Amino acid sequence: MTWDEMRPLLEQGTIDTLYMTFWSTLIALIGGLPLGVLLVLTDRGGPLRNAVVNKVIGVVVNIGRSLPFIILMVALIPVTRSIVGTAIGPTAAIVPLAIGAIPFFARLVETAVREVDHGLVEAVHAMGGGTWTVVLKVLLPQSLPSLVAGLTTTFIAVIGYSAMAGAVGGGGLGTLALVYGYQRFEEGFTLITVVVLVVIVTAVQLIGDGLVRLLARRERTS
């Protein structure tokens, strides 16, 4: 296969991979952020301490994290088809990618929020601040650099998941590597696909690291 034949396929595969990854990570942010914060708030010593709710959320998150993605994707085919009308293609792959990423990001959020100085939380309570004030004025702003670092890690993990999605028709670079690299023995195509994935992951990591440093510097000077 010549470069002229590979280029349009790689361009479309890269666009499909970024499309799947972006929307899945965005949904993981929307779903995982409140779950992670709730894990802290409902835990022992938290302002919404509730052992039952904490256990239920913890079990759901642990189950979501323990399932291998390829099995999760196959198990969710009926759900995916009911939501987007098909189980094949980049849009369909967003459903299992997002569901797999939500518990992953929730644990990272929990870890980031736990690092916040508890004295700040007690100070807000002492001044009459409620739970919403604690979350919006203390927990999220203070843990923002760690949250961005966690979101970067999640984005990169979803890129890896999206490559596996190619095994069941998810599209993107994973499908190209399987169809052209594995089934048609185009080893050069596989190599270029790997290089493209490495470039994407490196770029995302550099952008994420830059944002974390910027936020940490702003936090120190504020």
Side-chain angles (χ1 to χ4, degrees), residues 157-170:
V158 173
I159 290 175
Y161 290 164
S162 74
M164 282 190 280
V168 288

Side-chain angles (χ1 to χ4, degrees), residues 6-219:
M6 285 191 284
R7 189 175 62 185
L9 294 170
L10 287 168
E11 288 175 352
Q12 188 59 51
T14 302
I15 291 171
D16 288 344
T17 294
L18 292 175
Y19 166 74
M20 287 186 283
T21 306
F22 172 79
W23 286 108
S24 302
T25 306
L26 180 62
I27 296 171
L29 170 64
I30 296 170
L33 184 62
L35 277 180
V37 173
L38 268 177
L39 280 169
V40 177
L41 295 179
T42 58
D43 199 6
R44 189 182 308 168
L48 300 178
R49 180 180 177 179
N50 187 315
V52 176
V53 173
N54 186 267
K55 285 289 183 187
V56 170
I57 297 174
V59 168
V60 170
V61 169
N62 287 340
I63 291 174
R65 289 186 62 197
S66 62
L67 290 174
F69 177 70
I70 194 72
I71 295 175
L72 177 68
M73 188 165 187
V74 172
L76 288 174
I77 284 177
V79 178
T80 302
R81 192 174 287 126
S82 67
I83 294 175
V84 298
T86 178
I88 298 174
T91 300
I94 291 173
V95 177
L97 284 171
I99 292 176
I102 285 174
F104 181 83
F105 183 59
R107 282 298 183 196
L108 295 178
V109 171
E110 180 192 12
T111 302
V113 173
R114 286 193 190 283
E115 293 175 353
V116 176
D117 185 358
H118 195 67
L120 294 174
V121 176
E122 292 177 345
V124 172
H125 279 308
M127 289 186 289
T131 302
W132 273 111
T133 305
V134 169
V135 172
L136 298 178
K137 300 292 185 182
V138 178
L139 296 182
L140 294 183
Q142 290 294 320
S143 61
L144 192 55
S146 297
L147 291 175
V148 171
L151 191 64
T152 303
T153 302
T154 304
F155 196 99
I156 291 172
V158 173
I159 290 175
Y161 290 164
S162 74
M164 282 190 280
V168 288
L173 293 170
T175 295
L176 293 180
L178 285 170
V179 172
Y180 292 93
Y182 179 69
Q183 296 176 355
R184 300 186 185 181
F185 305 105
E186 295 280 356
E187 295 177 355
F189 200 102
T190 303
L191 180 62
I192 293 175
T193 303
V194 171
V195 170
V196 173
L197 285 170
V198 169
V199 169
I200 293 174
V201 168
T202 303
V204 171
Q205 189 66 62
L206 288 174
I207 293 171
D209 289 347
L211 284 173
V212 170
R213 283 195 294 271
L214 179 66
L215 292 168
R217 193 180 308 128
R218 185 175 298 176
E219 187 178 313

